[in-house]
Amino acid sequence: MKEINAGVRIKEIVPAVSNNGDIIAAKVDGVPVDLDRPLSKDCSLEWISLNSPEGLDILRHSTAHLMAHAVQTLFPGTQVTIGPTIEDGFYYDFKRDESFSPEEIEKIEARMSELAAKNLKISREEMPRGKAIEFFRRLGEDYKVEILEDIPDETVSLYREGDWVDLCRGPHVPSTGVIRAYKLTGVAGAYWRGDEKNEMLQRIYGTSWSTREQLESYLRRLEEARKRDHRKLGAELGLFMVSDVIGPGLPIWLPKGAVVRSILERYIVDLERSVGYQHVYTPQLARVDLYKRSGHWDHFKDNMYPPMRFEDKEELVLRPMNCPHHIMIFQHELHSYRDLPLRLAELGTMYRYERSGVLSGLSRVRAMTLNDAHIFCTPDQIQTETVGVLRLIEQVYRNFGFKDYWYRLSLRDPNDKTKFVDNDEMWNNAERCLRQALSEVGVSYEVGAGEAAYYGPKIDVQLRDVLGHSETLSTVQLDFYLPERFGLEYVDRDGYRKRPVMIHRGVISTMERMMAFLIEHYAGNFPLWLAPVQIRVMTVTDAHQEYGRKVYEELRASGWRVELDARNEKLGYKIREAQLAKIPYAVVIGDREVKDQTVSPRRRGGEKMEPSSVADFAEALTQEIARELQGRPI
Amino acid sequence: MKEINAGVRIKEIVPAVSNNGDIIAAKVDGVPVDLDRPLSKDCSLEWISLNSPEGLDILRHSTAHLMAHAVQTLFPGTQVTIGPTIEDGFYYDFKRDESFSPEEIEKIEARMSELAAKNLKISREEMPRGKAIEFFRRLGEDYKVEILEDIPDETVSLYREGDWVDLCRGPHVPSTGVIRAYKLTGVAGAYWRGDEKNEMLQRIYGTSWSTREQLESYLRRLEEARKRDHRKLGAELGLFMVSDVIGPGLPIWLPKGAVVRSILERYIVDLERSVGYQHVYTPQLARVDLYKRSGHWDHFKDNMYPPMRFEDKEELVLRPMNCPHHIMIFQHELHSYRDLPLRLAELGTMYRYERSGVLSGLSRVRAMTLNDAHIFCTPDQIQTETVGVLRLIEQVYRNFGFKDYWYRLSLRDPNDKTKFVDNDEMWNNAERCLRQALSEVGVSYEVGAGEAAYYGPKIDVQLRDVLGHSETLSTVQLDFYLPERFGLEYVDRDGYRKRPVMIHRGVISTMERMMAFLIEHYAGNFPLWLAPVQIRVMTVTDAHQEYGRKVYEELRASGWRVELDARNEKLGYKIREAQLAKIPYAVVIGDREVKDQTVSPRRRGGEKMEPSSVADFAEALTQEIARELQGRPI
C-alpha cells in the first residue's frame, strides 16, 4: 500500500532502480497503461519493464508506430491501416500502389533512427469518435475512418509523436528514444482485413528488442531458421512440391520425401502395435449426418470442406477429424469391460478448410494425415492409459533426439465451470489421474488453468522450434462428451451398462507437420534411420566403375538406400554434391579400394573413416541405427 | 454348300447326330434364330447345340420365360417386366407388392416342372408395334406397354408357350421339354429400369443347365462360393464392416483386416522399390481444372464425385484416377533421357461414384486404394519395361499361390482404327513390343482384337474366381494419349525434345478388390505370412497359465502375431474356436509342455506337430514363411 495524491501521473512514482531494467509502462488494476497516465482512485499498480514479455510487446507496438511515422514522412500520400505486434515483432500494412523496394526499406530504417534519436515524446489524447472520424478524414486516412466507423466506442484514443499521429488503444513507451534495437525483416502483400475480395496493401515486417545484443541474437536465429526453412530445404532436397494445378495447401510428397514418410509411418505403426494399439483403415469421408451427430457440423463447419450432394440425395463430406469413425467401430459390437481399454489407431487423413493466405509448405495445409488414436477405457483406467501414452511419447522423442520440450497440463477454470462439460466427478477424477500419470512417468509440467477443452482436460507436449517458439507436437486429451453424445456403453463386471471415457491422443502429429518440424530440427541432415538416401557410392575414375557398381549392388541388396555416382566428374565435385544433398555417407571407390576390395566412407560432416570391407561398413551402419533407435521395444 | 427349297424350316434339316449334343437353335448369317424359322434365301447356317455357350444362354432365356409363365399362372395379377440372362443363369423382375417367400419359390419350381413336362411348343409370332401395345394393354401388362412405347421398331416379336405369351426378341429352345436342369437361386428387390426413383420390383434369380450333372456341379460351386463369400467371411472373421451412418460403399477395415492390408501394402511397396519404382504420396483431390486438362471431366464425369465449391471460388474434386497427379510430378522438372524410365508408384486412393444398388462388400465400393504406378519411358523402352512388369506379376502370383490365370493382349481393331488414337507407328511398335515381352517372359496369351483402350494396347491378367468366372487383377496399359494431351517431354540424347510413352500398370489391383479376392481364394485361411493372427496359445487348465503367458510373450516379443486364450474353458472348445477363427497354429500348453518347457502346436487343419521348444517352433514358422515368399528378391 502506498498513498499518493489523486491526479499524480504514474511516471512520477516510478522507482529509480528496478530489477528488470527500464520501466516503460504499468498495469493499473491489471490493465496495461502509459506511464503518463494520471491516477485518480485507489488501485493496484504493477510495473512493466522493457525486457518483460509485456514490455517487449509494447516496445514492438511503438516500433510499428515509429516505422509508420517514417514511412509517411518519406512517402507522402501513403495511407496507414493497422499495425499490430506478432511473435518477436510487428508489422504495419500501408495503402500504396507499389511494394517497398529494398532501398526504400533501408531509407525507412534510417529515418526511424533519426526519429528515435530525437527522443520524441509519445503522448495519448482522447477524442469523441465523431470528431476522430472528421480528423482522419481531413488527413485523408480512409482506412482509419473505416475502422472508426465500425467500432462502437464513444471515445477513442490517438497517439502522437512529434507531428505524426495514429489512432491507437496503446499503451506505448514514453518516448521514441526507448526504441534502440530494431530491424525491418521483410515485405509482403496483404489484403485489407485479410479478405481476398478487398484491395491489396503493402505489409512491412519488423522486429524490436530491448538491447542490440538481443536483436543480434534474434537475427542470427532468424537467419538459421531461414536456412532451415522446410519449404526451402524441401525444394532443394526434392522432398515435396506444391502444384498450382492440383491446388494450394495440397502438398505432393516426392520420392525422397515419401521414403521418409513411409519410414515414419511404419515406425509409429509398429511401435503402437507393440504396445497394444490396433490399427484400422477408415474412409476419409462420411455422410454429413455423422458430423451432425458428433456436433462437428454445428461447431466446426467453417473449417470443413463443403459437402458433396449426389443425384440420389446422398450427402457426403470429407472428414475434419477421425474420432467419429472410430466411434462407429466401437459401436459396431457390444463391449464388455474385459475388452477395455480398446486402443484404435489410424494414420487418418483429414481435411480442413484453411484460407489460402495462411497456407504454408507442409506446416499449414488443407489435407493432412494424423498419427491418431482413440482409447476407449473405463474411468479407472485413465491413469494407466495416460502413463502408457506418456511413455510412448518419451520413447519416440528419444528416438528422434528431441531434448527441448516440456509438458503442459490444461485444466478447467475452477472459477468458471460454465465453459466446460458439466461433470464434477469426472473432472476431479481426471485431474487427479493426469497429475499422477505425469508424476509416475517422472516429468515436470506447467499447469494452464482454464485451458482445457470443453470436453475434458489434456496434456500437451511443447517443443521449441528453431526460432525458439514453442509448438505442440503431441497431445493426450480426455473426452467425457463424445461418449455421452453417441451413447457409448460397455457392460461392466457388475452386469450394468456404463459409459466409457475416450482419450484422443497424437504422438507424432500429422505426417505433414512432423516432416516440416523434422526438416527444420535436423536442418535437412536426417539421421541415418530416416535419411531418404543413406549412402552415395562414388567412383574416382572410370577404372573404378566395375567395383563401384559391385559395392552399390551389395549395399542395395542388403536393403540400404544407396545411390551410385559413376559420372565422369572430379571426386571433389561429387563429394560436394553429396554433402549438399545431405547424404549421411559418401563412399569413395578409388585405386586402393579396388585393390584391397574395401570402401572408404566419409561422414556427412566431412570426417573420413578408416577403409573397411563392405560388410564391416554395413555392420557399422546397423550399429548406428540401433543407437539412434535405442530403447525401442522391437 | 447345301441346296434346299425356299420356305423350308431350319428344324427340317437339323442333322440327326451332332458332336455337341442336342441342337436347339441355329445361326443364319451369324444371327441366332429359332429352329422353326423358315429359310427364304441363300445364307450361311451354323448349328447351336444346347451345351455350347450360346446354347446355354438361349436355354437360360427360355427358362426365364418358363419361370414367368409359372409365376403368372400361380399369382394372377403379377405383371412381368424384363427377364434377361446373366452369367450362369437368368432373372426375371415382377411387379408384385409382396416379395416371394421360400414356399412360393418352391411352388414356382414345381409348376415349372409341370409346364416343362408338358413339352409345350415355344413359337414366335410377329406383330406391328401398335397392335402389340394394344395386345399387352388388354392383358394389363403396363411394363410391356411402356417398353413397346420406347422402342423404335415397326414390327416386334412375341413368344408363346401354351396360352402364355411374352414380348421377346428370342430366339428360344423349340419346346419346354428341353428345359430339364434348373434351379431358382434367390430373390431380391430391384428398381424398375434400375432407377431408385422408380417403383420396387421383385426379382427371382435362377440357373439352368443342359444336364442334371452340370446343374449339380454348378450348385456345389455356388455353395462353396457362398461359404467363401468375402462379405460373410469378412464379418465372421472381423476383417471389415460397413456402416450406414458413414455411408454405403465405404468399408471400414477392422483391426484384423487392417493387419492383412498393411502386410499387403508393405509387401508390394518393398517389392516395387526393389525393382526400381519410386513411391510418392499425392493428395486425393485436385482442382477441377486438372481433370479438364486430362479429359476425365469430359469423358468420365458421371463416375466422379461432385466437385466441392469453396467460398473463395476454389473448386476441388476427389480424384477418380491417380494418373494426372503423377503427370504433375513428371512435369515438375525437365527430364533428360537419362532419367527414363521414371517409375512413379503410389498406393493411391481414388473415388468413383457407383449407384448404391451395385455396391457390394469390398468388391464394388465408392473409395478404393489402388496399387498404381505410371512408367514414363521412351518408345524404345516399352518392351523392357513391359517385361519388368510381367516378371513382377509372375513373382507376386507365385507368392500368393495363384495358379489359375492367363494373359490377354488387347489390340486395336485393324479394320476400324477410328475408335483408337491415331498414331500408326506407335500402335505397330507397341503391338510388337508387347508380343515380344510376353514371349520373353514365356507366357502364353489370348488376343482380343479391337479390345484395346482408346489410348493404347494393353495386357490384362485374368484370374479364375471360386465360381469359375474370370476377373482382371493385373493390367499393363500403354498410353500415347495423355503424354500428348499434357505435352510431356524429355530431352533426348540428340538434344531434341521428344514425347515419352506412359505405361499405366497395376499388380495387386485395389486393396479392396485384392482383399475380397484373397478372402475367397483362401476361403479365409490366409497363409502364414498374411494371417491376421498367426498363432493362438491355449492353456489346458489354470495351472498352465504362467508358462502359457511366458510362451505368448516370447512369441510376441519376436514379432509373431499371437493371441493367448487362458480362459477357463475346455481345451476342445478352445481348439474349435481357433479353427473357426482360421488361425494357422493353435499351441497347446498342458502338463507335459510345462514340465518339458515345450509347446505342442496343431495346424489349422487339425494336424498335430511334434512338441518342440518355442525357438524351434518359431524357426519352423520362419521357414514356412520363407517358402511362401520364395523367389522374392528381398
Side-chain angles (χ1 to χ4, degrees):
Chain A
M1 284 296 278
K2 176 163 179 172
E3 205 142 313
I4 54 167
N5 293 330
V8 162
R9 290 173 192 271
I10 300 169
K11 64 182 173 190
E12 296 170 35
I13 54 168
V14 168
V17 178
S18 108
N19 284 330
N20 294 309
D22 308 340
I23 285 168
I24 50 107
K27 275 203 253 185
V28 172
D29 289 334
V31 179
V33 297
D34 302 314
L35 289 183
D36 206 28
R37 180 75 63 96
L39 293 172
S40 50
K41 58 182 175 61
D42 280 356
C43 61
S44 78
L45 189 66
E46 292 164 80
W47 302 113
I48 298 179
S49 70
L50 184 58
N51 207 16
S52 67
E54 283 166 313
L56 283 169
D57 193 63
I58 293 168
L59 172 69
R60 285 163 188 158
H61 195 174
S62 299
T63 315
H65 273 216
L66 187 69
M67 176 176 77
H69 185 171
V71 166
Q72 292 200 308
T73 59
L74 282 167
F75 309 102
T78 300
Q79 290 188 55
V80 285
T81 68
I82 57 158
T85 59
I86 53 177
E87 195 151 18
D88 297 336
F90 61 88
Y91 66 78
Y92 212 115
D93 286 348
F94 300 97
K95 179 69 186 99
R96 186 191 191 224
D97 291 338
E98 318 81 55
S99 66
F100 291 96
S101 68
E103 295 71 32
E104 287 172 334
I105 292 295
E106 272 181 39
K107 270 190 203 159
I108 297 167
E109 280 184 334
R111 177 63 55 91
M112 287 168 74
S113 297
E114 292 164 29
L115 295 171
K118 286 186 187 167
N119 198 18
L120 301 167
K121 182 170 174 356
I122 301 177
S123 56
R124 179 189 176 93
E125 181 177 334
E126 300 201 341
M127 203 180 266
R129 192 170 67 107
K131 203 181 149 197
I133 290 176
E134 260 175 62
F135 177 82
F136 283 104
R137 188 168 286 139
R138 268 201 317 274
L139 284 180
E141 296 287 359
D142 305 333
Y143 296 89
K144 293 292 174 187
V145 171
E146 191 179 326
I147 293 168
L148 280 163
E149 281 170 343
D150 280 3
I151 56 176
D153 317 30
E154 278 311 291
T155 304
V156 299
S157 56
L158 277 58
Y159 277 82
R160 287 184 188 274
E161 49 189 61
D163 52 3
W164 187 80
V165 67
D166 198 358
L167 173 73
C168 184
R169 285 223 174 76
H172 280 279
V173 298
S175 65
T176 58
V178 176
I179 306 168
R180 288 179 292 239
Y182 53 88
K183 173 98 189 142
L184 303 189
T185 51
V187 291
Y191 294 103
W192 168 235
R193 299 198 153 164
D195 188 333
E196 290 145 48
K197 291 192 284 272
N198 289 339
E199 62 271 36
M200 176 72 88
L201 306 173
Q202 304 303 330
R203 176 173 296 176
I204 305 178
Y205 288 99
T207 186
S208 183
W209 298 82
S210 63
T211 63
R212 297 283 334 159
E213 291 69 37
Q214 281 186 1
L215 172 66
E216 272 155 28
S217 147
Y218 170 74
L219 291 176
R220 276 194 303 273
R221 289 203 305 279
L222 197 65
E223 179 54 26
E224 182 60 26
R226 280 193 182 143
K227 270 194 236 154
R228 290 171 176 237
D229 187 322
H230 78 277
R231 292 166 300 183
K232 180 173 166 284
L233 284 175
E236 285 170 9
L237 301 176
L239 300 172
F240 71 96
M241 63 176 266
V242 178
S243 151
D244 256 358
V245 190
I246 289 170
L250 300 170
I252 289 146
W253 298 66
L254 295 170
K256 290 198 166 62
V259 166
V260 180
R261 174 163 167 180
S262 67
I263 297 169
L264 286 178
E265 290 185 345
R266 291 184 185 194
Y267 163 82
I268 197 70
V269 170
D270 288 345
L271 191 56
E272 286 173 347
R273 283 193 169 132
S274 78
V275 296
Y277 286 84
Q278 305 192 62
H279 268 263
V280 295
Y281 294 83
T282 63
Q284 299 173 20
L285 70 184
R287 287 183 160 159
V288 170
D289 279 347
L290 181 65
Y291 298 99
K292 289 185 178 159
R293 281 209 205 180
S294 68
H296 291 110
W297 189 251
D298 285 341
H299 299 295
F300 202 69
K301 194 160 63 175
D302 288 349
N303 293 95
M304 289 173 68
Y305 276 48
M308 292 166 280
R309 292 193 182 80
F310 294 82
E311 267 179 40
D312 62 359
K313 290 175 197 134
E314 185 71 81
E315 203 181 12
L316 299 176
V317 66
L318 288 171
R319 67 178 171 193
M321 291 180 179
N322 307 316
C323 6
H325 281 81
H326 292 186
I327 288 174
M328 290 300 106
I329 295 178
F330 183 85
Q331 282 193 314
H332 178 55
E333 290 181 307
L334 178 60
H335 292 282
S336 136
Y337 68 96
R338 285 191 215 87
D339 303 335
L340 305 187
L342 182 70
R343 306 182 192 100
L344 293 179
E346 181 171 14
L347 292 167
T349 304
M350 331 181 292
Y351 297 83
R352 305 261 174 100
Y353 185 65
E354 303 259 19
R355 289 216 322 274
S356 61
V358 304
L359 297 172
S360 168
L362 291 174
S363 54
R364 287 291 285 275
V365 291
R366 286 178 173 169
M368 62 219 76
T369 300
L370 184 62
N371 161 230
D372 207 358
H374 297 95
I375 303 173
F376 299 85
C377 65
T378 69
D380 288 349
Q381 293 168 332
I382 293 176
Q383 187 181 332
T384 46
E385 287 308 302
T386 305
V387 166
V389 178
L390 296 179
R391 292 226 159 101
L392 186 59
I393 291 171
E394 288 284 315
Q395 156 93 57
V396 166
Y397 285 21
R398 253 196 321 278
N399 293 159
F400 285 101
F402 296 158
K403 294 196 175 77
D404 198 359
Y405 65 91
W406 64 100
Y407 289 81
R408 196 172 61 194
L409 172 63
S410 297
L411 302 173
R412 78 180 157 166
D413 184 345
N415 302 317
D416 180 8
K417 296 181 180 177
T418 59
K419 286 176 3 197
F420 305 94
V421 70
D422 182 24
N423 190 333
D424 263 341
E425 194 194 325
M426 273 291 192
W427 280 97
N428 292 336
N429 175 45
E431 177 175 340
R432 201 181 50 246
C433 292
L434 294 189
R435 283 185 187 276
Q436 283 172 359
L438 285 158
S439 312
E440 192 175 331
V441 179
V443 295
S444 57
Y445 56 96
E446 53 183 46
V447 173
E451 289 178 12
Y454 170 74
Y455 48 82
K458 63 175 178 171
I459 297 171
D460 289 326
V461 195
Q462 301 296 109
L463 273 90
R464 207 179 300 281
D465 72 11
V466 186
L467 266 178
H469 301 161
S470 81
E471 203 174 325
T472 304
L473 194 72
S474 311
T475 184
V476 194
Q477 309 190 1
L478 300 195
D479 187 342
F480 318 133
Y481 175 70
L482 282 179
E484 197 68 37
R485 197 156 167 124
F486 278 94
L488 302 188
E489 288 181 335
Y490 65 97
V491 179
D492 206 354
R493 203 178 290 266
D494 58 14
Y496 286 101
R497 295 196 172 200
K498 298 193 182 157
R499 190 74 78 222
V501 174
M502 252 179 102
I503 304 178
H504 308 252
R505 49 109 284 190
V507 174
I508 61 166
S509 183
T510 66
M511 296 307 109
E512 288 76 13
R513 282 193 58 217
M514 183 67 175
M515 185 70 171
F517 189 86
L518 288 181
I519 293 171
E520 299 187 354
H521 179 77
Y522 298 130
N525 297 300
F526 287 99
L528 191 58
W529 72 284
L530 279 174
V533 178
Q534 296 167 313
I535 308 159
R536 188 178 284 172
V537 176
M538 48 191 67
T539 51
V540 179
T541 72
D542 282 355
H544 313 119
Q545 278 224 26
E546 193 191 325
Y547 180 62
R549 179 160 298 278
K550 185 167 160 275
V551 168
Y552 162 77
E553 290 295 351
E554 204 171 324
L555 288 167
R556 191 166 167 279
S558 26
W560 296 98
R561 298 187 291 279
V562 56
E563 290 179 348
L564 175 65
D565 183 353
R567 290 175 304 167
N568 196 1
E569 299 281 0
K570 288 241 163 60
L571 181 63
Y573 177 79
K574 290 183 178 184
I575 291 176
R576 214 157 36 247
E577 273 204 343
Q579 279 168 346
L580 285 174
K582 298 178 186 280
I583 297 169
Y585 287 94
V587 164
V588 177
I589 306 291
D591 285 340
R592 199 176 77 179
E593 288 77 20
V594 173
K595 185 172 149 278
D596 300 348
Q597 298 284 294
T598 54
V599 291
S600 292
R602 287 166 189 249
R603 291 189 210 277
R604 188 156 43 196
E607 186 200 341
K608 287 188 193 179
M609 291 161 68
E610 283 302 302
S612 67
S613 71
V614 175
D616 285 351
F617 171 55
E619 177 55 26
L621 299 191
T622 304
Q623 295 294 332
E624 181 173 341
I625 289 181
R627 278 194 305 277
E628 288 170 349
L629 293 181
Q630 67 189 294
R632 267 190 75 183
I634 29 171
Chain B
M1 281 295 279
K2 176 163 178 174
E3 206 142 311
I4 54 167
N5 294 331
V8 163
R9 286 174 196 272
I10 299 170
K11 62 183 173 187
E12 296 171 36
I13 54 167
V14 168
V17 178
S18 110
N19 283 330
N20 295 309
D22 309 339
I23 284 168
I24 50 107
K27 276 202 252 187
V28 172
D29 289 336
V31 179
V33 297
D34 303 315
L35 289 182
D36 208 29
R37 180 76 63 96
L39 293 171
S40 52
K41 58 181 178 61
D42 281 357
C43 62
S44 79
L45 190 67
E46 291 164 81
W47 303 111
I48 297 180
S49 70
L50 185 56
N51 207 15
S52 66
E54 281 166 315
L56 283 169
D57 192 64
I58 292 168
L59 173 70
R60 286 163 187 158
H61 196 177
S62 299
T63 316
H65 273 215
L66 188 69
M67 175 175 81
H69 186 174
V71 165
Q72 291 201 309
T73 60
L74 282 167
F75 309 100
T78 299
Q79 291 188 55
V80 287
T81 66
I82 57 157
T85 59
I86 52 177
E87 194 150 21
D88 297 335
F90 61 86
Y91 66 80
Y92 212 116
D93 287 347
F94 300 98
K95 179 69 188 99
R96 187 191 191 224
D97 290 337
E98 318 80 55
S99 65
F100 292 95
S101 69
E103 296 71 32
E104 288 173 335
I105 293 295
E106 274 180 34
K107 272 192 202 156
I108 298 167
E109 279 184 337
R111 178 62 56 91
M112 287 169 73
S113 296
E114 292 163 31
L115 295 170
K118 288 186 185 165
N119 198 18
L120 301 167
K121 183 169 169 4
I122 300 177
S123 57
R124 178 188 176 93
E125 185 178 326
E126 299 200 341
M127 203 179 262
R129 191 171 68 107
K131 205 180 149 199
I133 290 176
E134 261 176 60
F135 177 81
F136 282 104
R137 186 167 287 139
R138 271 203 314 275
L139 287 180
E141 297 287 1
D142 306 330
Y143 295 89
K144 294 291 176 189
V145 171
E146 193 180 326
I147 293 169
L148 280 162
E149 282 171 341
D150 280 0
I151 56 177
D153 315 31
E154 277 312 292
T155 305
V156 299
S157 57
L158 277 58
Y159 278 82
R160 288 185 185 274
E161 50 189 60
D163 52 4
W164 186 82
V165 67
D166 198 0
L167 173 72
C168 184
R169 287 225 172 74
H172 279 280
V173 299
S175 65
T176 60
V178 176
I179 306 169
R180 292 180 287 242
Y182 52 87
K183 173 94 189 145
L184 303 188
T185 50
V187 292
Y191 295 102
W192 168 236
R193 301 201 151 160
D195 187 333
E196 289 144 49
K197 291 191 284 269
N198 289 338
E199 61 272 36
M200 175 73 87
L201 307 172
Q202 305 302 331
R203 175 173 297 177
I204 306 180
Y205 287 98
T207 186
S208 184
W209 298 81
S210 64
T211 64
R212 299 271 349 146
E213 292 69 39
Q214 280 185 2
L215 173 65
E216 273 155 25
S217 147
Y218 170 75
L219 292 176
R220 277 194 303 274
R221 288 204 305 279
L222 198 63
E223 179 55 25
E224 180 62 25
R226 279 192 184 142
K227 270 193 238 156
R228 290 172 177 236
D229 188 321
H230 79 276
R231 292 164 302 184
K232 180 174 167 285
L233 283 175
E236 285 170 10
L237 301 177
L239 300 174
F240 72 94
M241 62 175 268
V242 177
S243 152
D244 257 358
V245 190
I246 289 171
L250 300 170
I252 289 145
W253 298 66
L254 295 171
K256 290 199 166 60
V259 166
V260 182
R261 173 163 169 181
S262 67
I263 297 169
L264 286 178
E265 291 185 344
R266 291 184 185 193
Y267 163 82
I268 197 69
V269 170
D270 288 344
L271 192 54
E272 286 173 346
R273 283 194 170 135
S274 78
V275 295
Y277 287 84
Q278 304 192 62
H279 268 264
V280 295
Y281 294 83
T282 62
Q284 299 173 21
L285 69 182
R287 287 184 159 158
V288 170
D289 278 346
L290 182 65
Y291 299 100
K292 290 187 177 157
R293 279 208 206 181
S294 69
H296 291 109
W297 189 250
D298 285 341
H299 300 295
F300 202 71
K301 194 161 65 178
D302 288 349
N303 292 94
M304 290 173 68
Y305 276 47
M308 294 166 278
R309 290 193 186 80
F310 294 81
E311 266 179 41
D312 62 358
K313 288 169 196 138
E314 185 71 80
E315 202 180 12
L316 298 176
V317 65
L318 288 171
R319 65 177 172 194
M321 294 182 178
N322 307 316
C323 6
H325 281 80
H326 292 185
I327 288 174
M328 289 300 107
I329 295 178
F330 182 84
Q331 282 193 314
H332 178 57
E333 290 181 306
L334 177 62
H335 292 283
S336 135
Y337 68 96
R338 285 191 214 89
D339 303 336
L340 304 188
L342 183 70
R343 308 183 190 97
L344 292 179
E346 181 170 15
L347 294 167
T349 304
M350 331 181 291
Y351 298 83
R352 304 260 175 100
Y353 186 64
E354 302 260 18
R355 288 214 323 271
S356 62
V358 304
L359 297 173
S360 169
L362 290 174
S363 54
R364 287 290 286 275
V365 291
R366 286 178 173 169
M368 62 219 76
T369 300
L370 182 63
N371 161 229
D372 206 359
H374 297 94
I375 302 173
F376 299 85
C377 66
T378 69
D380 288 349
Q381 293 168 332
I382 292 176
Q383 185 180 330
T384 46
E385 286 309 301
T386 306
V387 166
V389 178
L390 296 178
R391 293 227 157 100
L392 185 60
I393 291 172
E394 287 286 314
Q395 157 91 60
V396 166
Y397 284 21
R398 254 197 321 278
N399 293 159
F400 285 101
F402 296 157
K403 295 196 174 73
D404 200 358
Y405 64 94
W406 62 99
Y407 288 82
R408 196 172 62 192
L409 172 63
S410 298
L411 301 173
R412 75 180 159 167
D413 184 345
N415 302 315
D416 180 7
K417 297 182 182 177
T418 58
K419 286 178 1 201
F420 304 92
V421 69
D422 182 25
N423 190 333
D424 262 340
E425 194 195 324
M426 273 291 192
W427 280 96
N428 293 335
N429 174 45
E431 176 176 341
R432 200 180 53 246
C433 291
L434 294 188
R435 284 185 186 275
Q436 283 172 357
L438 285 157
S439 312
E440 190 175 331
V441 179
V443 295
S444 57
Y445 57 96
E446 52 183 49
V447 173
E451 288 178 13
Y454 170 73
Y455 47 81
K458 63 174 177 172
I459 296 171
D460 288 327
V461 195
Q462 300 297 108
L463 274 89
R464 207 178 300 283
D465 73 11
V466 186
L467 267 176
H469 302 162
S470 81
E471 201 174 324
T472 304
L473 195 73
S474 311
T475 184
V476 194
Q477 310 190 0
L478 300 195
D479 187 343
F480 318 134
Y481 176 69
L482 282 180
E484 197 67 38
R485 199 158 165 122
F486 279 95
L488 302 188
E489 289 181 332
Y490 66 95
V491 179
D492 205 354
R493 204 180 290 267
D494 59 14
Y496 285 102
R497 295 195 172 201
K498 297 191 182 159
R499 190 75 78 222
V501 174
M502 251 179 102
I503 304 178
H504 308 252
R505 49 109 284 189
V507 174
I508 61 167
S509 185
T510 66
M511 297 307 109
E512 289 76 14
R513 284 195 55 217
M514 182 69 174
M515 184 71 173
F517 189 87
L518 290 180
I519 294 171
E520 301 188 353
H521 178 78
Y522 298 130
N525 297 300
F526 288 99
L528 191 60
W529 72 284
L530 278 174
V533 178
Q534 297 168 312
I535 309 158
R536 189 178 282 174
V537 176
M538 46 192 68
T539 51
V540 179
T541 72
D542 282 355
H544 312 118
Q545 278 224 23
E546 193 191 327
Y547 180 62
R549 179 160 296 277
K550 186 167 160 273
V551 169
Y552 162 77
E553 290 293 353
E554 203 170 325
L555 288 167
R556 190 167 168 280
S558 29
W560 296 97
R561 296 186 293 277
V562 57
E563 290 180 348
L564 175 64
D565 184 354
R567 290 174 305 167
N568 197 1
E569 300 280 359
K570 288 240 163 61
L571 183 63
Y573 177 80
K574 289 183 177 183
I575 291 176
R576 220 160 29 249
E577 274 205 341
Q579 279 169 346
L580 285 174
K582 298 177 186 279
I583 296 168
Y585 288 94
V587 164
V588 177
I589 306 291
D591 285 340
R592 195 173 81 178
E593 288 75 20
V594 172
K595 184 171 150 279
D596 301 348
Q597 298 283 294
T598 55
V599 291
S600 291
R602 288 164 188 250
R603 290 187 211 277
R604 186 158 42 195
E607 185 201 339
K608 287 188 194 177
M609 292 161 67
E610 285 302 304
S612 66
S613 70
V614 175
D616 286 351
F617 172 57
E619 177 55 26
L621 300 190
T622 304
Q623 295 294 331
E624 181 173 340
I625 289 181
R627 280 193 305 278
E628 289 171 350
L629 293 180
Q630 69 189 293
R632 263 191 79 184
I634 26 170

